[in-house]
């Protein structure tokens, strides 16, 4: 909304000083022409913003101008700034709203606390993009327009039509009653009901969404944490394959990242890690363990050991003419 953008523009000028129209346009995600119109609107409304021309010119507020916003304590501001410094911009399409809110948080602080709070927040890193082994954090992309439709339907309590692609199926349109949104390890989910039945949809598999005017058929009160635990338990109990395996410590995270769930984990006598994990099915488990080559050993079920042994034998047979000795372990 334009009113929110005008407030954000004023806060940007207050906190950063002189900024060019191009810089303001990038921050606010609008065109330069829109920024110029907003500057004119602010001037007309009595906000003391003026233009400084020349190579180092830009727009600036008169010194001492202050907006009236509710104050926060230092610790409250640090908490909000820290939470917003991670990957909040990727959660449910709320990036612009988060940026605007953080500018208001900074502006609400007393003059002397602004620098110290911002510096404190920079010294706390939440969920970085890569871990110590340089593996990138897995995130899933959802089109902004689609995410906005889903989010509006959830918050407004309206029915929603989604174009959804389930695993190994053709995409279809479905009408759902949205309950809530959940994000777990970089993946977003829509919790909903369809014809009275519980349904959970991966947001990345929703290619389009259309909000409907009808009210959603859902409980007036919701406990998302309880609902998520219950659905997770049903999901794990519904036809999944439990696997016991040994894995080299250096490849442990790779194995666990491919699993649906981790049931148990302990150190083995030789320094490897013994785990009990759940996969979607035998094909999923075979694929996941095969990626790790000789750095993992399937212990159970026997069907998985047979499948991996058959695949290894087929590979040996394929390259038998070029092998003069024992098959070398796969390179990493």
């Amino acid at each position: 909304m334009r009113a929110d953008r005008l407030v954000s523009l004023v806060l940007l000028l207050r906190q950063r000083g002189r900024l060019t129209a191009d810089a303001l346009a990038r921050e606010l995600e609008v065109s330069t022409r829109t920024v110029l119109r907003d500057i004119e609107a602010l001037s007309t409304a009595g906000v003391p913003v003026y233009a400084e021309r020349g190579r180092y010119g830009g727009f600036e507020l008169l010194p001492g101008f202050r907006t009236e916003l509710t104050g926060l304590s230092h610790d409250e501001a640090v908490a909000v700034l820290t939470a917003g410094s991670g990957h909040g911009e990727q959660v449910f399409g709320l990036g612009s709203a988060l940026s605007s809110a953080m500018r208001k948080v900074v502006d609400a602080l007393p003059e002397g606390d602004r620098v110290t709070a911002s510096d404190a927040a920079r010294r706390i890193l939440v969920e970085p993009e890569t871990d110590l082994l340089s593996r990138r954090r897995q995130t899933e992309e959802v089109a902004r327009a689609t995410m906005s439709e889903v989010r509006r339907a959830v918050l407004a309590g309206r029915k929603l039509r989604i174009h959804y692609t389930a695993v190994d199926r053709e995409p279809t349109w479905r009408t759902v009653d949205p309950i809530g949104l959940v994000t777990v390890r970089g993946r977003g989910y829509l919790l909903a009901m369809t014809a009275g039945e519980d349904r959970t949809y991966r947001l990345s598999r929703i290619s389009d969404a259309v909000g409907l005017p009808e009210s959603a058929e859902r409980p007036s009160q919701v406990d998302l944490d309880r609902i998520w635990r219950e659905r997770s338990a049903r999901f794990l109990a519904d036809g999944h394959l439990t696997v016991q395996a040994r894995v080299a410590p250096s490849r442990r995270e790779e194995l666990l990242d491919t699993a649906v769930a981790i049931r148990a984990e302990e150190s083995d006598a030789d320094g490897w890690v013994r785990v009990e994990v759940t996969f979607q099915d035998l094909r999923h488990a075979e694929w996941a363990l095969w990626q790790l080559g000789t750095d993992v050993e399937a212990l159970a079920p026997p069907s998985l050991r047979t499948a991996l042994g058959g695949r290894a034998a087929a590979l040996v047979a394929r390259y038998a003419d070029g092998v003069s000795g024992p098959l070398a372990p796969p390179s990493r």
Side-chain angles (χ1 to χ4, degrees), residues 10 31-32 37 53 61 66 139 144 185 192 278 284 303 322 329:
V10 171
S31 66
T32 303
R37 284 200 299 265
R53 306 199 179 275
L61 291 170
R66 179 168 179 79
T139 56
R144 178 177 296 184
R185 297 173 66 187
T278 300
H284 180 200
S303 57

Side-chain angles (χ1 to χ4, degrees), residues 143-166:
R144 178 177 296 184
T146 299
M147 190 65 254
S148 295
E149 283 292 307
V150 173
R151 188 177 67 248
R152 279 196 293 266
V154 169
L155 300 182
R158 302 293 184 184
K159 287 183 178 291
L160 180 71
R161 276 180 57 77
I162 58 175
H163 197 233
Y164 190 77
T165 305

Side-chain angles (χ1 to χ4, degrees), residues 79-124:
V80 175
L81 293 174
T82 300
S85 66
H87 293 267
E89 73 280 0
Q90 299 172 358
V91 178
F92 307 137
L94 293 171
S96 297
L98 177 63
S99 298
S100 176
M102 289 177 67
R103 285 193 287 268
K104 292 177 182 177
V105 168
V106 172
D107 195 79
L109 292 173
E111 190 75 34
D113 286 348
R114 290 180 194 163
V115 174
T116 56
S118 296
D119 181 67
R122 283 193 290 268
R123 296 180 186 278
I124 302 173

Side-chain angles (χ1 to χ4, degrees), residues 8-10 12-13 17-32 35 39 49 58-60:
S8 292
L9 195 156
V10 171
L12 281 169
L13 294 177
R18 186 180 303 166
L19 290 171
T20 65
D22 288 341
L24 288 168
R26 286 194 298 272
E27 288 287 342
L28 299 173
E29 298 181 356
V30 297
S31 66
T32 303
V35 167
I39 292 289
V49 57
F59 294 100
E60 194 170 356

Side-chain angles (χ1 to χ4, degrees), residues 14 29 41 74 101 111 134 138 154 171 179 243 255 268 291 293 316:
R14 271 187 48 76
E29 298 181 356
H74 182 271
E111 190 75 34
S134 298
Q138 292 184 349
V154 169
I179 294 175
V243 170
L255 176 63
D268 213 348
Q291 311 307 308
V316 170

Side-chain angles (χ1 to χ4, degrees), residues 175-179 191-199 201 217-219 231:
T175 299
V176 303
D177 296 296
I179 294 175
L191 275 56
M193 300 183 71
T194 303
E197 298 291 331
D198 292 343
R199 294 290 184 268
Y201 300 99
E217 298 176 12
R218 66 183 191 181
R231 294 196 180 188

Side-chain angles (χ1 to χ4, degrees), residues 57-312:
F59 294 100
E60 194 170 356
L61 291 170
L62 286 177
F65 177 76
R66 179 168 179 79
T67 54
E68 296 297 329
L69 293 172
T70 302
L72 296 173
S73 72
H74 182 271
D75 285 348
E76 289 172 336
V78 170
V80 175
L81 293 174
T82 300
S85 66
H87 293 267
E89 73 280 0
Q90 299 172 358
V91 178
F92 307 137
L94 293 171
S96 297
L98 177 63
S99 298
S100 176
M102 289 177 67
R103 285 193 287 268
K104 292 177 182 177
V105 168
V106 172
D107 195 79
L109 292 173
E111 190 75 34
D113 286 348
R114 290 180 194 163
V115 174
T116 56
S118 296
D119 181 67
R122 283 193 290 268
R123 296 180 186 278
I124 302 173
L125 181 60
V126 179
E127 290 291 340
E129 189 172 352
T130 59
D131 62 17
L132 287 175
L133 300 178
S134 298
R135 289 194 298 271
R136 294 182 65 85
R137 184 175 184 268
Q138 292 184 349
T139 56
E140 298 181 333
E141 296 294 329
V142 183
R144 178 177 296 184
T146 299
M147 190 65 254
S148 295
E149 283 292 307
V150 173
R151 188 177 67 248
R152 279 196 293 266
V154 169
L155 300 182
R158 302 293 184 184
K159 287 183 178 291
L160 180 71
R161 276 180 57 77
I162 58 175
H163 197 233
Y164 190 77
T165 305
V167 178
D168 296 330
R169 296 186 183 179
E170 293 295 319
T172 59
W173 282 97
R174 311 168 185 217
T175 299
V176 303
D177 296 296
I179 294 175
L181 293 166
V182 176
T183 178
V184 181
R185 297 173 66 187
R187 295 174 178 173
Y189 299 88
L190 167 66
L191 275 56
M193 300 183 71
T194 303
E197 298 291 331
D198 292 343
R199 294 290 184 268
T200 302
Y201 300 99
R202 228 23 199 265
L203 290 176
S204 61
R205 293 176 182 159
I206 300 176
S207 57
D208 199 1
V210 178
L212 302 177
E214 296 88 355
S215 295
E217 298 176 12
R218 66 183 191 181
S220 57
Q221 301 295 322
V222 63
D223 183 347
L224 278 185
D225 187 54
R226 176 185 59 78
I227 293 173
W228 181 255
R229 288 198 306 269
E230 292 175 352
R231 294 196 180 188
S232 297
R234 288 200 301 269
F235 178 75
L236 294 177
D238 185 19
H240 286 75
L241 181 71
T242 299
V243 170
Q244 295 177 5
R246 297 172 62 254
V247 61
S250 61
R251 311 297 295 277
R252 167 187 169 276
E253 287 294 330
E254 291 178 67
L255 176 63
L256 299 186
D257 282 346
T258 60
V260 173
I262 306 163
R263 294 183 175 275
E265 180 178 354
E266 63 181 5
S267 297
D268 213 348
D270 59 0
W272 278 32
V273 181
R274 186 178 291 258
V275 298
E276 182 176 318
V277 291
T278 300
F279 290 98
Q280 294 176 3
D281 51 28
L282 178 61
R283 186 176 64 173
H284 180 200
E286 180 184 348
W287 171 85
L289 270 65
W290 183 259
Q291 311 307 308
L292 304 185
T294 57
D295 285 333
V296 68
E297 178 188 0
L299 303 176
S303 57
L304 178 58
R305 290 182 61 89
T306 299
L308 289 169
R311 181 181 283 211

